[in-house]
Amino acid sequence: MLELFQITGSCSFAARAALEEAGAEYTTVDVHPRRRDDAPSFSAANPLQRVPALRDGDEAVYETGAVLLYLVERLPGQTLGPAQGEPGRGELMRWVTWLSNTLHGAFQPLTNPQFLTDDPAGHEGISRKGWQKLDAHGRYLEAELAGRPWCLGEEFSVADIYLYMLKGWENYSDDYILGGAGLAAHYERVGARPAIARTRELDDLDERLIRYHPELRGGKSIV
Ligand SMILES: N[C@@H](CCC(=O)N[C@@H](CS)C(=O)NCC(=O)O)C(=O)O
């Protein structure tokens, strides 16, 4: 049985959404964000103690992009994207890698400038540069999605799930919008899928991916 280590409403959302899309059987372990040693099996699944982490028998997979690509292989024919040897496989790998190594990390200067400098006076400049980078990523995404419903064209995949989650993170800011009309329409399309709506419910998230109950994770108090 697949076992997902998660913190509801965090980037483990993408992994859970993929499991839901595939109709997979899985169990979850709710990690306490500030007491990550509470679940001893968590460190075994990911020594970095970050979510998502996935256990599949003797196999342990972590890093959002790796977990998503692993699930494509593990759950073939379940709308998660082309498997090895199928058309579109290279494009899928390119999308997931870009989302993982470029767009995912691009939020850090905005959400956590304190991780990049000890000097509080530097936070504003770091955030400003962060917005500029994100603007450029938004323009790139608009061009990539032009005239296609999904990242891979006509085929839905885990890339759409990952992009959906990252686009949703714009809502951590009051007024920032990543990309333009194309990306907004993509967000609506992905968000309307029953499995994605179900994952939002399971993760206690509204349509903007904001937690209904910020004080809870997995239904339990995090205080
Ligand atoms: N590069 C990692 C980042 C994982 C990560 O930072 N996860 C966050 C949630 S979005 C986490 O585990 N936070 C818990 C913490 O830092 O205490 C990935 O793509 O999976």
Side-chain angles (χ1 to χ4, degrees), residues 30-171:
D30 285 304
V31 173
H32 189 296
R34 284 190 292 280
R35 291 204 306 267
R36 283 171 277 162
D37 291 321
D38 281 3
S41 53
F42 185 36
S43 293
N46 182 356
L48 297 173
Q49 294 189 312
R50 293 284 185 276
V51 296
L54 189 73
R55 215 175 230 299
D56 183 16
D58 290 338
E59 194 96 58
V61 191
Y62 53 95
E63 289 298 314
T64 308
V67 170
L68 293 176
L69 288 172
Y70 182 83
L71 291 175
V72 175
E73 309 279 304
R74 177 66 171 73
L75 303 164
Q78 303 295 333
T79 72
L80 297 184
Q84 184 66 35
E86 291 179 356
R89 174 69 182 176
E91 206 180 352
L92 174 68
M93 292 175 82
R94 188 259 293 168
W95 263 103
V96 172
T97 302
W98 184 84
L99 291 165
S100 166
N101 73 8
T102 303
L103 191 61
H104 193 150
F107 283 88
Q108 193 184 54
L110 311 169
T111 51
N112 293 304
Q114 73 277 15
F115 291 170
L116 300 170
T117 178
D118 289 329
D119 178 6
H123 291 181
E124 199 188 320
I126 287 174
S127 294
R128 195 169 47 249
K129 271 273 169 224
W131 295 126
Q132 286 168 8
K133 275 237 168 220
L134 224 42
D135 282 346
H137 297 329
R139 288 192 293 275
Y140 167 74
L141 285 164
E142 279 299 308
E144 284 295 305
L145 289 172
R148 41 173 60 198
W150 310 116
C151 296
L152 301 188
E154 296 305 316
E155 184 175 1
F156 179 83
S157 73
V158 292
D160 297 294
I161 293 174
Y162 202 173
L163 177 57
Y164 169 81
M165 180 181 77
L166 297 178
K167 162 83 175 156
W169 288 2
E170 73 188 8
N171 295 311

